[in-house]
Amino acid sequence: MGYYNSNDKKTGKRGYFASSFTGLIAGALLVGVISPGVTDAEPETAVGATTTESVSGVQTTSTLVTSDVTEIVEQTNDAVVGVSNLQMAQQNPFSAPTATDNEAQEAGAGSGVIYKKDGDTAYIVTNNHVVEGAEDVMVTLSDGTELDAEVLGTDVWTDLAVLKVPSKSIEIVAEFGDSSVLKAGEPVIAIGNPLGLQFSGSVTTGVISGTERLIPIDVNQDGTEDWQSEVLQTDAAINPGNSGGALINAKGQLIGINSMKIAQAAVEGIGLAIPINTAIPIIADLETEGAVERPSMGVAILDLAEVPAQYRTGQLGLPAEVEGGIVVQSVVEGSGAATAGMEAYDVIVELDGKPVKSILELRQYLYNETEVGDTLEVKAYRGGELMSFELELTESM
């Protein structure tokens, strides 16, 4: 969330959006992933001391049983915390004032994972949608200790957020695993707080149902797909409140951040998590910079699909064979696009030799394949003529 699994910084950055998550997808609830089992073989079980007692003539046997799952949970459970989103309640202007009118109330609760402890500070990763809109954030440790948390940064595209709290009461932190080596059928364990803190530390098990699943995300909830998140799929049960919790492999390593589920009447057992390899560079930026650095062309854009047909051949002068592209609405003064000579009503159809037919495709390419400072080759139609531009990408504001 030394944060990169590779020394190649560019590769780490380009993994950013192979997952995201503020996402509301059609028919999906954003809730944390709960996940599966232990090893590829039968779970190992150890039987401890056995005692037998007689109660009212009936003998009962008490046996201490441990397994791979129980051992992993015991080692990692304290790294999973409750995260409460506190907001000021809307007041009824006609009701009598109360002592709590000026106090923030819990508007929602989710989960989080302690991933680092550095001196007097501990760092927690959770989902953006867990802390979105919060005026205050409270973290509850596994032993019930409550800590005021500071939100260091949030990222709407990957649905991640980083918090910091005093580290005095914290001993256990999660160990990052490698989500790139996960295979379908691999057992995993999920820990979180379904339905709120009254079920804190709940454990579920299951398997990885699939990797590299693409889920459409409507970030601004305008009914248009803004992004496609690459996520891990698990068959574990997921409930509201698990968002931001831990998805752990059979070695007790954190390999995913529980984020959402498919919630439809005909669907059962499709839970989704942000792969940890995708989350690590995002976490690093949020912790140190408070935001994620992403490249920008310096243009306001519109999908060609939203432009009526008569304007495509008229005002834009596009050849009839051009069916997809991105219309430049305006160019930011001093930006890479402005310096390169791009203008309003240019229609972008290609980036670095790769066709792009929508804003979604343009955004996926920019955020996954380029970095701030890169030179981008753009091909766009202007008045029916295909033109080429070379522009330097700057940091998005």
Side-chain angles (χ1 to χ4, degrees):
M1 295 196 191
Y3 275 25
Y4 293 84
N5 286 344
S6 166
N7 291 325
D8 183 352
K9 178 180 178 184
K10 192 159 189 167
T11 300
K13 288 287 185 182
R14 291 176 180 175
Y16 273 19
F17 283 88
S19 138
S20 135
F21 293 155
T22 193
L24 280 171
I25 60 182
L29 292 176
L30 291 177
V31 287
V33 171
I34 307 178
S35 284
V38 264
T39 64
D40 293 328
E42 289 296 319
E44 295 182 4
T45 300
V47 180
T50 301
T51 59
T52 303
E53 298 181 7
S54 178
V55 180
S56 300
V58 178
Q59 285 196 337
T60 62
T61 301
S62 175
T63 304
L64 176 63
V65 179
T66 62
S67 68
D68 290 348
V69 174
T70 59
E71 291 178 359
I72 291 171
V73 171
E74 186 174 351
Q75 294 167 5
T76 59
N77 186 61
D78 287 350
V80 181
V81 300
V83 179
S84 298
N85 182 321
L86 306 179
Q87 300 180 22
M88 297 299 294
Q90 294 293 325
Q91 301 299 319
N92 183 341
F94 302 105
S95 63
T98 66
T100 61
D101 279 352
N102 295 320
E103 296 180 6
Q105 307 295 315
E106 184 177 289
S111 307
V113 184
I114 306 168
Y115 68 89
K116 187 172 83 170
K117 182 178 177 180
D118 184 9
D120 295 332
T121 303
Y123 298 89
I124 296 166
V125 57
T126 185
N127 287 142
N128 170 71
H129 73 263
V130 170
V131 298
E132 191 171 22
E135 296 177 64
D136 293 298
V137 175
M138 180 77 72
V139 164
T140 304
L141 305 183
S142 60
D143 64 1
T145 300
E146 294 183 339
L147 302 172
D148 290 324
E150 177 184 345
V151 179
L152 293 181
T154 62
D155 183 54
V156 68
W157 295 100
T158 53
D159 194 25
L160 289 171
V162 170
L163 318 175
K164 76 172 185 178
V165 295
S167 63
K168 183 178 180 180
S169 305
I170 294 172
E171 296 182 1
I172 304 297
V173 300
E175 175 189 354
F176 289 141
D178 183 357
S179 57
S180 70
V181 299
L182 293 173
K183 296 180 179 179
E186 182 174 339
V188 287
I189 302 167
I191 305 176
N193 309 305
L195 305 182
L197 298 180
Q198 66 268 38
F199 294 109
S200 62
S202 291
V203 177
T204 56
T205 63
V207 298
I208 292 292
S209 303
T211 60
E212 299 181 357
R213 301 299 199 207
L214 292 178
I215 301 298
I217 303 296
D218 180 4
V219 172
N220 55 10
Q221 300 182 39
D222 64 354
T224 301
E225 181 180 328
D226 300 303
W227 185 250
Q228 284 188 325
S229 291
E230 186 179 309
V231 296
L232 303 173
Q233 178 190 340
T234 178
D235 66 346
I238 294 180
N239 295 285
N242 283 110
S243 293
L247 187 63
I248 298 170
N249 65 13
K251 293 184 178 181
Q253 298 169 325
L254 183 68
I255 48 87
I257 303 298
N258 304 334
S259 184
M260 64 180 100
K261 68 179 287 186
I262 305 296
Q264 296 177 351
V267 176
E268 183 176 348
I270 300 182
L272 306 169
I274 305 167
I276 200 62
N277 287 26
T278 296
I280 286 173
I282 304 296
I283 292 173
D285 277 356
L286 294 179
E287 180 188 319
T288 58
E289 304 296 333
V292 179
E293 181 184 82
R294 294 200 175 91
S296 170
M297 296 171 62
V299 292
I301 50 181
L302 175 73
D303 266 325
L304 181 61
E306 298 181 35
V307 178
Q310 64 267 29
Y311 294 107
R312 298 186 193 183
T313 56
Q315 188 172 2
L316 298 178
L318 287 175
E321 64 270 17
V322 178
E323 298 180 350
I326 303 98
V327 180
V328 176
Q329 292 181 293
S330 62
V331 179
V332 177
E333 185 177 351
S335 67
T339 303
M342 295 194 72
E343 299 177 359
Y345 303 119
D346 287 347
V347 180
I348 300 168
V349 294
E350 194 175 289
L351 300 178
D352 287 338
K354 298 181 180 180
V356 289
K357 296 183 178 181
S358 67
I359 291 177
L360 175 61
E361 291 183 5
L362 182 146
R363 188 177 287 132
Q364 293 275 156
Y365 184 80
L366 278 184
Y367 292 172
N368 288 337
E369 306 297 334
T370 70
E371 289 187 344
V372 173
D374 284 355
T375 298
L376 182 69
E377 183 179 347
V378 179
K379 285 190 177 181
Y381 281 97
R382 178 182 296 171
E385 179 185 354
L386 186 61
M387 304 179 66
S388 294
F389 305 90
E390 286 191 356
L391 59 89
E392 182 177 348
L393 297 173
T394 57
E395 184 177 356
S396 59
M397 302 301 292

